[in-house]
Every structure is written in structure tokens, then in C-alpha cells.
Amino acid sequence: MAVLAVAAGTAYGVSRLVGGDDDGQALRTAWVLDFPERQRNGLKTYDGQDMFGAWLVGDAVVRAQPDGVIAYRLGDGGQAWGVPAPQGSSLCGAARALAEGRGVVALGSADSCDTLVGFDAATGARSWQATFPAERRAGRDTLAAPDLSVAGGQVVVRADQRVLGFSLADGRRLWQSDADRLLPGRDCRLSDAQAAGDLAVVTARCDGDRGTLLGLDPATGKVRWQQRLPTASAGVLSVDPLVSLPGLNDSTFAARDAPGRPRATFGNPVDGTRFSDLPVNRSNSVEGPAVRPHLADAETIYLPTEAANVPGKMRQANQVVAIDLATGKRRWVSAGHTDSEVELIRLDETGLLAWEVGDHRDLAPRLVRIDRASGKVSVLAEGPRSAGTEGSDATVLERDGTVVLVPWKHVAADAAITVLR
């Protein structure tokens, strides 16, 4: 069993301040953090470029990556703190949400991702550690990472056909279950578990190609409701509001009510508009929970449309589609974008905040707001052309006009972190 140990730094390099006016636009590049080369930790070759989670905490941006959790000051890019993984181990996952200033990561050795570590997101201090039964890697297979969510004061984990609950405050194991306990008398395998708020949703494949959704209390593991599905589902797109994914032999998404019953369904395309439900966090080293970009409120889910090639350019472009969860009908497709990919940032009372990725060759990126009622785009700020493409397949964060781009992998982007202000 390995644990995180607080230290002065990690294998990552130092950020580079960017001086001058850059391209003279409203947003300028303050600093960037370069990607490291592929690293060897002694046990296996690990893709040190992967990102498992990114958050804005206080005056820092925090990045979870294979060699540890590192915080960089927004002001100058200096390292605020670093919590490296121990020698011979690597991070293999992170819960996407923070709660009460706490986060959770998973780490392991060459053949098993089997340890949770709770940390203070403001200081990096390790709060607790706990182990769980995990699938072991065989041969050249990718490492299996657990489904990992934070729901209120609990951490919900699915690994090796078990689902478990831990206390976010101190790491105590609160409960443990499996398919035989949750679905007695049926031949079932657990395939997905996600949690948010006061609900954990477990997906199972049962009796061949049929499926079941279970709603659990994340504090106790007790089953609140169960819904049988005609075909096995790939899991859920969203927990709150609850939207389930189709399975291999199905193409239907379902918006569901509090007891998990379908209230509306929709396909892809929805009213002629194709949307993307592909994961953006694919890894060459770790097979873990899929991150499918979306935003949602109680009435509507917002998804990126399927990207299409831009004629004569080396890039793709898309928009955002809004789907009514009461009817399953398309409400609108956003209008007013440049011919660029669009990354969702957040949803608030003023609308959807989004980032148009742009292209470092010929198209400046933009920070835009999308009207919730009409889908009309309004421009808030334009970034430097040199930052174009850096936000592609990335977590994009924004606070008070500062934009932070943290790509999941080193593919289109050149930097592990780009900060614009």
C-alpha cells in the first residue's frame, strides 16, 4: 500500500511566465506549464501527460496527474504545493468534484489501483488513506481504475464488482455491497457507479443483455429504488438530473424522475441534430470512468454537438444543443459561434459559459455566454491566437475573467496548463 507524502515538488517542471502583449487581445497569456516527457517510474512506463482532475482553489489551480497532485499560483505560476505519489506508484484516478474543500484521488502500483487518499484542496495536506478490493492488471492490459465520486460527505467507489462508501472527512468505510447483495437471485455484474448530492446510481448488466438501475443512499448503501431496463445500459450521463445512457443494443437516452422511472427519452440525433457523448479523457495507460462533457439543470441538458471538419482548415467546429428533459425534444442549437470547437465551462443564472477553442494558426479563442432561453451567443472576451487549440478536450475553468485551460491529454494542446487574464 502506498500513500501520498507532502513534498516540495514533483517530477513536473516549473511554469513559464509569458511577457509582453502576446497578440494584443483582451485576454493575454499570463503563464503556461509545459507537458513532461513520458516518464518511467521503475515498475512500468506511465503516461505522465494524463490529467485526472483540475480545480480552482483559492488563488491556485490544482492539477491531479500520474506523479501527484500539484497546485500552481494563478498569479505567477509558481508551485504553491506539491503532493507526489510515492516511488513505484502512480495516481490512477480522481473524483471530479470537491466537497467542503476536500478532494479524493486513487493511486496504486504497477498492477492494481487500490488506494484512496483524501486531501485538503487548499494545502495539499493528506487527510486520510484507505484501501479497497481492486481488479489486478493482467499482462499488457491497461490498469483498471475505479469509478470514484464524491456525494455530500461520502465517497462512492466501484471496483472489481464491489461498490463501497467511505467518509469524506476521515476515510472510514461506511458500507460495502456487491451484485449478489444488491440484486439477489439474478445473474448480474456491476458496470458503473456514479454519485452526486444525496444519490448514488449503480448500473448492472443482468440475465444476459438486460439491465438494471439502482438508486442507493450514499451514506448507508441502502437501495432506495430499482428500475429494470429492457437492455443493458452503459451507465448514466448525469446523476442530478438523472439521465441514463443507452447500451450496446440500444440508442435511447432516458431522463428519469426521482425513483428512476423514465419521464422522457431521446435519441442521437435529437430532432436532426447529432451530439457528442464520447469521453474526452481516454488514456493509453488507465481504463477508468468516462468523462462526457455536459451541463444540466432540472429542465434541460446541454451537450456539445458532433464536431465537423471545417472546409480548408485543419480543425473542427461544433455548437451546443439544449434538450428538454420533460419532452426529450431539442430546444435550440446555439448560434453565433466562430468555426471552432466549443468547450462547456459552467451553468449559472446568467446562462452557459463556454470557451471557443480557436486555432493557433488563424483563429483567436473566445470566452462566450450562451443564452439559456434562445441559444444566442454573446462574446465576453477574446483570447490571444497563440492560445488557440490549447482548450481542445480540456477542463476549462474561469473566475473573475481569468481563464484556465487544462487539457486531459497531450494531443492538440502544447501546454499542460495555460492561464489567460
Side-chain angles (χ1 to χ4, degrees), residues 44 57-58 67 101 137 149 157 208 212-213 241 269 283 346 352 371 383:
K44 62 178 185 290
V57 182
D67 66 347
R137 189 171 76 124
S149 303
V157 180
T212 298
L213 285 182
S283 170
R346 67 171 180 268
L352 285 75
D371 183 74

Side-chain angles (χ1 to χ4, degrees), residues 314-338:
M314 297 177 63
R315 64 171 178 270
Q316 294 186 313
N318 66 346
Q319 298 86 35
V320 177
V321 60
I323 302 171
D324 190 322
L325 295 179
T327 65
K329 300 295 184 181
R330 185 187 71 188
R331 293 186 56 204
W332 47 255
V333 176
S334 57
H337 296 289
T338 57

